[in-house]
Amino acid sequence: MRPVPSLLLAALVAAAIIVIAVAFTLAAGATGSGAGGVGESGGSGRADSLAAYGAHGLLLGLGVLTAAALALLVALTFTTSLRRRSDTLALLRVTGASTPLLAGAVLTQALAVGMLGAALGLLGTLGATRLTTGTAAQVLPPGADPLTLPAAVTGLLATLLGAVVPALRVSATPPGPTAQPAASPQSSLRVAGIIGVGLVALGAVGTAVAWRATGLPHRVGVLGVSGAVLLLGLLIGLPVAMRPLTALLGLPALPSSSGRLAVRHLAAAPRGAAAIAAAPTLAAAAVGIGVPLAASLRSHGANGAASEHADTALGLVPALATCVALLAGLCAAGALAAAAAARREENDLMGVVGMSRGQRASQFLCEFALSAAAGVLLGAAAGALLMGATGAVLADQGLGALTVPWRQLLLPLAVGCGAGLLAAPTSLLRFMSPPPGDGMHA
């Protein structure tokens, strides 16, 4: 990877580490503040406990989701860079480069980027803590410090984890003049679809049982496991779900030639559509669950005189959800760049037969918009289902009616869409011109 993309990726790693540090610190502060509320008498202690532990779960989940989005972004960035150098990697295999050497080079570069991002993230977190001393004092229990080091370690591990899959692909590069990956068999797609549908059905049934069975033992645990199974099945079966959903969403684009080509390609290559939609799916589900739940817990805590620590932590959940949506938009744009890099020969061929750069860019952007929109819709549907079940479970503990803050829900959506729409055209610029010289990708 060249220096400028490496520095940009390190800056994104640093930004993610800052978000993770804030989320982990707020989660620890909320738990520490809620410990005393459990022992208090009456509705005040119950409200304090519910708000504190609800805030802890929400913030910890947002931190973990940010790390997952970072790993996905790193994987897509390295995949894009390696696909642009596929011919060079194949020639290196011919000249005797071993599998451990190529894989180790990728992981070493990821380690360097991660360490630089971790250092920048530590500095940024310490600076943000000094600038927000009043807010930190409201959130953290007495004597507690911001969890900058665990956040930096989490970000570094996420960076290395994201580079594992590209490193494995590099190690499988065959020697020869080209290293284009073989097409995935349709049988594996069907197997993934069957597994995904089964997990979604299992998670939906578990969620419905936890929603309706008021006397169910360990009801919160059953709901948590069911929600995780539902989201996992949705991600595994995402390629199968992309075909009908993008075809339906693409109906308004069919009159244009670029729109027709985009819809046909998404139907023929659903895995690429799923790669674009994965991060928006998770982000939409997280926002759909986290923001209304935080608003409801905050309202319930205010009625029960919950602690200031938990109230402040819950108030910052929408801002963290917006950061997650921002990372999701960048991840989707990174997936588009990876797809464009893999389709460089197709792009050149379309230019030879007379398709202009604008038409080719329009096709890619249409594919991006349809895939991302499909992911947002699926994630929002899953989030709405889990939010309804969570509200029903917490209502039995005295939470009351759910609060749906529409403005706070629309802000992360706008930020994520804006980031994706701004980053996607930029990621396409390097792939819209024919390769220089002998066709070797830089």
Side-chain angles (χ1 to χ4, degrees):
M1 190 183 299
R2 292 180 176 180
V4 173
S6 299
L7 290 176
L8 290 176
L9 182 59
L12 291 174
V13 171
I17 287 175
I18 293 174
V19 174
I20 295 171
V22 172
F24 284 178
T25 300
L26 293 177
T31 303
S33 65
V38 175
E40 297 178 6
S41 60
S44 177
R46 186 179 182 85
D48 196 356
S49 177
L50 183 60
Y53 288 102
H56 174 75
L58 278 176
L59 293 164
L60 192 61
L62 286 175
V64 172
L65 183 61
T66 302
L70 174 61
L72 182 59
L73 180 61
V74 171
L76 293 171
T77 302
F78 273 91
T79 298
T80 303
S81 176
L82 294 173
R83 280 177 173 171
R84 295 181 64 213
R85 294 180 290 168
S86 58
D87 292 339
T88 303
L89 293 172
L91 292 178
L92 286 175
R93 292 299 303 272
V94 171
T95 58
S98 63
T99 295
L101 178 64
L102 293 177
V106 175
L107 293 177
T108 301
Q109 192 170 23
L111 178 62
V113 171
M115 292 183 67
L116 178 59
L120 295 175
L122 284 173
L123 294 176
T125 302
L126 294 176
T129 303
R130 291 182 179 274
L131 292 175
T132 58
T133 305
T135 302
Q138 291 178 348
V139 174
L140 292 175
D145 295 321
L147 301 179
T148 53
L149 186 58
V153 173
T154 302
L156 180 59
L157 291 177
T159 304
L160 291 175
L161 182 62
V164 167
V165 173
L168 292 177
R169 288 179 177 174
V170 166
S171 64
T173 301
T178 183
Q180 296 298 327
S184 301
Q186 291 295 322
S187 59
S188 64
L189 189 63
R190 287 194 293 268
V191 171
I194 293 173
I195 295 175
V197 170
L199 290 176
V200 168
L202 182 61
V205 170
T207 301
V209 170
W211 190 339
R212 296 299 183 184
T214 57
L216 181 69
H218 308 291
R219 192 179 177 193
V220 175
V222 171
L223 177 60
V225 173
S226 300
V229 171
L230 175 64
L231 293 177
L232 178 61
L234 188 60
L235 289 178
I236 294 177
L238 202 55
V240 177
M242 284 292 102
R243 280 178 170 169
L245 197 51
T246 54
L248 179 62
L249 294 175
L251 289 178
L254 291 179
S256 66
S257 59
S258 299
R260 287 193 299 272
L261 288 174
V263 173
R264 291 173 183 172
H265 185 270
L266 291 176
R271 291 185 184 274
I276 296 174
T281 299
L282 288 177
V287 171
I289 298 170
V291 173
L293 184 56
S296 302
L297 288 171
R298 194 179 187 191
S299 176
H300 177 70
N303 295 333
S307 71
E308 187 178 3
H309 295 277
D311 181 74
T312 304
L314 289 169
L316 292 176
V317 167
L320 292 176
T322 302
C323 294
V324 171
L326 175 63
L327 283 176
L330 295 177
C331 285
L336 176 65
R343 295 162 59 187
R344 185 65 180 263
E345 292 183 358
E346 173 193 337
N347 176 52
D348 297 339
L349 179 61
M350 298 303 290
V352 170
V353 299
M355 194 173 184
S356 66
R357 292 181 61 185
Q359 290 174 322
R360 286 176 279 160
S362 297
Q363 177 187 344
F364 277 109
L365 292 177
C366 185
E367 293 175 12
F368 171 79
L370 292 176
S371 301
V376 170
L377 288 177
L378 289 173
L385 174 63
L386 295 175
M387 186 66 257
T390 304
V393 171
L394 294 180
D396 292 340
Q397 302 183 19
L399 178 64
L402 282 174
T403 302
V404 182
W406 291 107
R407 291 184 180 180
Q408 294 180 1
L409 283 174
L410 292 177
L411 178 60
L413 176 63
V415 170
C417 292
L421 291 176
L422 289 176
T426 304
S427 65
L428 288 177
L429 291 178
R430 68 185 67 180
F431 305 111
M432 289 295 104
S433 57
D438 58 357
M440 294 285 290
H441 297 173

